[in-house]
Amino acid sequence: MNAKRWIAIGIVAALLVVSGITKITSTLLASDDEYKMSWAESLTAMDSEMTEMVLEDGDQDKRIAVLHIDGAIQDTGSSDSLLGGSEGYNHTDFMDQLEQIREDDTVAGVILNVNSPGGGVVESAQIRDKILQIKKEKTLPVYVSFGSMAASGGYYVSAPADKIFASPETLTGSIGVIMQGYDFSELMKKVGISDNTIKSGEFKDIMSSSRPMTAEEKAIMQSMIDDSYGQFVKVVAQGRHMTEAEVRKIADGRIYDGRQAKANGLIDAFGYEENALDALKKEQDLKGAEVFEYDSSGGGFASIFSTSISQIVGQKSEAHQALQLMNMMEAPRLMYLYGK
């Protein structure tokens, strides 16, 4: 372990000591039912505040919110740890931004930029349901701009949009569901590893990596895949004003480029974020509107400290690598995902 890591550990230890002393002091000073926030909790509250960044000045009574989905759509937990959050898409932050839009009466339109291979079935459904809730309660127009990829779950969350823009080179589609696992049983035999699983029911270890799946197990899992696939088809049919039969003809899991997607009715026009924004302003009577985006990273002490620690320890520390390995070894799950 090098000197920088020892310094980082020392800083963390010092903060833990200070936090502990503060907590004890605040407890001793509390003499009534009104609880005063401790120093540590105050920092958390500061960091949890969602700030805004103005991208274009304009009318503050009718504003356009710009949102981003960049990366795999997975709920990997909160990003407010003192040791730094995950890079890329953060599900908790994104859902908070959608809720903020629902509560903000000044927001008159939304631009959603999607650059994602998809992700979890549950997370994708949460985003889509929240967008539909916002559109129903506030009748807000939602325009979507695809980046280099908006596949599977990336398309699922975009389907309710009023209009979808993509580059001719964008990869999209991949309408379908996948669940993957591995069978290491033959390798285990070669290296002398045996499985000692004890289970309460026949299917408790379904999709275990230590043995092949039975025909009955495959049928069980296929029924789950078919259910989720059916939901995906309905979402696309409703969002794109197509029949389910029409969607099923193009929803065999294949990827489409932007040209093919437009020919199949999956997008509305070619263009990028600026084109989607211009169209939203022109078509939804939002010319002169202020354009902004949320900055959920905040500017509190915890954010500053986490950045400093990341610089000292490095993004590819042993702990970071261990967490990545654990994520790779997690249980199989239903995914609206293109690639792996």
Side-chain angles (χ1 to χ4, degrees), residues 65 67 97-104 107 138 140 294:
L67 302 180
Q97 291 173 15
L98 288 176
E99 181 60 22
Q100 183 70 20
I101 288 174
R102 190 184 72 83
E103 296 175 352
D104 190 339
V107 177
K138 305 186 65 176
L140 287 186
Y294 295 108

Side-chain angles (χ1 to χ4, degrees), residues 283-318:
E283 298 168 3
Q284 302 297 332
D285 191 26
L286 290 174
K287 289 184 179 180
E290 180 183 270
V291 181
F292 75 97
E293 65 182 8
Y294 295 108
D295 179 15
S296 57
S297 65
F301 176 78
S303 294
I304 297 173
F305 176 72
S306 65
T307 302
S308 300
I309 291 298
S310 296
Q311 292 174 346
I312 294 173
V313 179
Q315 291 294 331
K316 296 299 181 181
S317 64
E318 289 85 355

Side-chain angles (χ1 to χ4, degrees), residues 25 38 44 84 91 125 131-132 137 169 187 189 200 221 265 300 323 332:
T25 303
S38 69
T44 302
H91 189 64
I131 290 175
L132 287 177
E137 292 183 3
E169 312 305 332
L187 176 62
K189 291 178 183 177
S200 58
M221 302 311 293
L323 286 173

Side-chain angles (χ1 to χ4, degrees), residues 203-221:
F203 302 113
K204 182 60 179 173
D205 65 338
I206 196 168
M207 288 196 75
S208 169
S209 60
S210 62
R211 63 175 179 81
M213 291 182 70
T214 67
E216 190 172 5
E217 288 173 332
K218 290 181 180 179
I220 291 172
M221 302 311 293

Side-chain angles (χ1 to χ4, degrees), residues 245-270:
E246 289 173 331
V247 175
R248 287 180 184 272
K249 287 181 181 179
I250 59 175
D252 57 5
R254 77 180 66 184
I255 203 81
Y256 296 105
D257 65 21
R259 302 175 189 85
Q260 296 168 331
K262 192 171 187 300
N264 286 315
L266 294 177
I267 68 169
D268 297 290
F270 296 132

Side-chain angles (χ1 to χ4, degrees), residues 50-65:
M50 191 176 298
T51 58
E52 297 177 0
M53 295 176 58
V54 176
L55 304 177
E56 293 182 16
D57 290 323
D59 189 344
Q60 296 182 359
D61 292 325
K62 57 175 188 179
R63 306 193 300 155
I64 297 173

Side-chain angles (χ1 to χ4, degrees), residues 84-117:
S86 58
E87 296 180 352
Y89 175 77
N90 183 280
H91 189 64
T92 300
D93 286 348
F94 188 77
M95 295 304 296
D96 287 344
Q97 291 173 15
L98 288 176
E99 181 60 22
Q100 183 70 20
I101 288 174
R102 190 184 72 83
E103 296 175 352
D104 190 339
D105 292 334
T106 68
V107 177
V110 176
I111 291 290
L112 174 59
N113 297 309
V114 180
N115 186 32
S116 171

